[in-house]
């Protein structure tokens, strides 16, 4: 396959050659995907159907659930089908679409988490100005910018990654992941893609720093609240968001900052699952456990 800019298809990593283990993988991913879809759809339904949740914080949470649904749907179904059909193939354009959609959803997801930190900052540190600052018109504009930013980020990475010459079509991962695709390059280091990766890392570090600084100010303000009930109410809206941010950042760092290797271990696959698939599953659970309004609405939906 040397000296080709494209390959007809890619071969994804198979979890096992044993048929029983392949079916076990299918069942595990099926349960994981079904649970992820169910929990996120419950959050979306709760926000849409109950007027008590018609405010900016829950509007952002609904969009986060949509992004989490997208992340899981881009990766899991194809992996399930491959295990069920005992195949490894993904078409070239299917791989392009997977890279673009996964990165777009991930980028918009982290951008939205940054916006949600700002929302909590305004709500707790400047409550009298909250309705004026976080108006519906402004919130809709913010969400549009978040989605457009994610799409542009996905387009840049996708164009940079698939501009290389591929000397092999064997991807050592269960989905089309950029680090594994770049290892297939015939031309060595891809400077444009490296530049995009560095720019993305700087932007991500900037967002993370903004979140940390915002919560430092928030916690300082919360400690000044005289009533214990007031402090608990403020923290109940902050802790789930902060937990989601740290889970996403830590799992991503553990996955991508580990020493590079030409062989893929089960540990690396497990870390990838932790980074890519568990946050979309646990995000709605974390928010539901700490938020009384969501718990109340979800219990009503369950009874219905």
């Amino acid at each position: 396959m040397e000296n080709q800019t494209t390959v007809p298809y890619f071969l994804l990593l198979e979890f096992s050659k044993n048929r029983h283990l392949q079916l076990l993988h299918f069942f595990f991913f099926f349960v994981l995907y079904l649970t992820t879809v169910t929990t996120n759809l419950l959050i979306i339904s709760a926000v849409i159907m109950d007027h008590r949740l018609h405010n900016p914080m829950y509007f952002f949470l609904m969009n986060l659930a949509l992004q989490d649904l997208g992340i899981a749907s881009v990766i899991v179904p194809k992996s399930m089908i491959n295990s069920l059909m005992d195949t490894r193939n993904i078409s070239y354009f299917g791989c392009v679409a997977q890279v673009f959609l996964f990165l777009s959803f991930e980028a918009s997801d982290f951008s939205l988490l940054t916006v949600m930190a700002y929302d909590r900052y305004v709500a707790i540190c400047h409550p009298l100005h909250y309705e004026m600052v976080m108006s519906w018109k402004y919130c809709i504009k913010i969400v549009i910018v978040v989605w457009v930013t994610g799409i542009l980020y996905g387009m840049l990475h996708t164009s940079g990654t698939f501009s290389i010459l591929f000397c092999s079509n064997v991807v050592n991962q269960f989905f089309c992941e950029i680090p594994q695709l770049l290892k297939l390059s015939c031309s060595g280091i891809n400077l444009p893609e490296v530049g995009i990766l560095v720019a993305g890392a700087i932007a991500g570090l900037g967002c993370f720093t903004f979140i940390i600084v915002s919560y430092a100010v928030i916690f300082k303000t919360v400690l000044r609240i005289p009533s214990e009930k007031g402090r608990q109410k403020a923290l109940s809206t902050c802790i789930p968001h902060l937990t989601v941010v740290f889970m996403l950042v830590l799992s991503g760092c553990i996955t991508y900052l580990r020493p590079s290797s030409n062989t893929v271990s089960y540990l690396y696959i497990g870390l990838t699952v932790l980074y890519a698939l568990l946050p979309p599953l646990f995000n709605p659970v974390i928010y539901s456990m700490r938020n009384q309004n969501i718990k109340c609405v979800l219990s009503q939906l369950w009874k219905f």
Side-chain angles (χ1 to χ4, degrees):
M1 293 188 184
E2 279 193 50
N3 299 326
Q4 293 186 8
T5 56
T6 63
V7 292
Y9 58 88
F10 290 96
L11 295 175
L12 299 177
L13 181 71
E14 58 182 354
F15 284 84
S16 175
K17 295 183 180 297
N18 185 293
R19 186 58 181 157
H20 294 292
L21 292 178
Q22 288 176 345
L23 294 176
L24 181 63
H25 160 250
F26 167 81
F27 178 75
F28 172 72
F29 266 39
F30 174 76
V31 172
L32 180 68
Y33 183 62
L34 183 63
T35 307
T36 301
V37 170
T38 302
T39 53
N40 282 285
L41 284 179
L42 281 173
I43 292 291
I44 294 169
S45 301
V47 174
I48 291 174
M49 295 177 64
D50 197 284
H51 69 278
R52 290 173 295 179
L53 304 184
H54 291 176
N55 62 53
M57 183 178 74
Y58 298 110
F59 176 62
F60 294 142
L61 181 57
M62 181 184 71
N63 278 272
L64 186 69
L66 285 170
Q67 291 161 357
D68 287 338
L69 270 177
I71 292 170
S73 298
V74 167
I75 296 176
V76 180
K78 179 59 180 175
S79 185
M80 287 167 50
I81 291 171
N82 280 0
S83 290
L84 187 64
M85 304 300 294
D86 191 19
T87 182
R88 299 171 57 190
N89 291 16
I90 183 171
S91 68
Y92 178 85
F93 291 106
C95 191
V96 171
Q98 200 172 64
V99 169
F100 168 69
L101 291 172
F102 178 73
L103 288 175
S104 296
F105 283 124
E106 282 283 356
S108 58
D109 196 84
F110 197 65
S111 299
L112 188 59
L113 288 172
T114 307
V115 171
M116 292 172 75
Y118 177 70
D119 173 72
R120 291 299 83 208
Y121 164 77
V122 176
I124 294 173
C125 300
H126 304 282
L128 297 179
H129 299 100
Y130 182 75
E131 291 188 6
M132 181 180 66
V133 175
M134 303 301 294
S135 64
W136 275 110
K137 185 177 180 180
Y138 183 64
C139 290
I140 291 172
K141 287 181 179 179
I142 289 177
V143 168
I144 291 173
V145 170
V146 164
W147 283 98
V148 171
T149 300
I151 291 171
L152 291 176
Y153 184 78
M155 288 174 63
L156 282 173
H157 265 304
T158 306
S159 60
T161 300
F162 289 94
S163 64
I164 65 176
L165 300 171
F166 291 107
C167 285
S168 172
N169 68 341
V170 180
V171 181
N172 287 325
Q173 188 54 276
F174 64 91
F175 67 99
C176 287
E177 185 186 43
I178 285 183
Q180 298 300 328
L181 287 170
L182 293 179
K183 290 180 179 180
L184 309 181
S185 171
C186 299
S187 52
I189 297 176
N190 182 6
L191 291 179
E193 178 60 17
V194 170
I196 296 170
L197 285 170
V198 171
I202 293 172
L205 182 61
C207 290
F208 183 67
T209 303
F210 178 84
I211 293 171
I212 296 302
V213 172
S214 298
Y215 272 101
V217 177
I218 287 171
F219 288 135
K220 186 178 179 180
T221 303
V222 168
L223 292 175
R224 294 176 181 170
I225 297 175
S227 67
E228 184 178 348
K229 186 176 181 180
R231 290 195 296 269
Q232 289 179 350
K233 184 178 180 181
L235 290 174
S236 69
T237 62
C238 295
I239 292 177
H241 176 255
L242 203 56
T243 304
V244 167
V245 170
F246 274 105
M247 182 173 65
L248 181 63
V249 171
L250 287 176
S251 59
C253 289
I254 291 172
T255 303
Y256 291 112
L257 296 183
R258 63 187 292 275
S260 178
S261 174
N262 291 326
T263 60
V264 177
S265 65
Y266 286 109
L267 174 61
Y268 180 74
I269 296 172
L271 291 173
T272 305
V273 171
L274 175 69
Y275 160 69
L277 302 182
L278 292 191
L281 171 63
F282 285 115
N283 285 357
V285 176
I286 291 170
Y287 275 103
S288 300
M289 287 176 62
R290 296 287 304 183
N291 193 297
Q292 292 298 324
N293 289 337
I294 291 182
K295 287 169 70 174
C296 180
V297 175
L298 289 178
S299 65
Q300 292 176 355
L301 287 175
W302 183 260
K303 291 176 183 177
F304 179 77

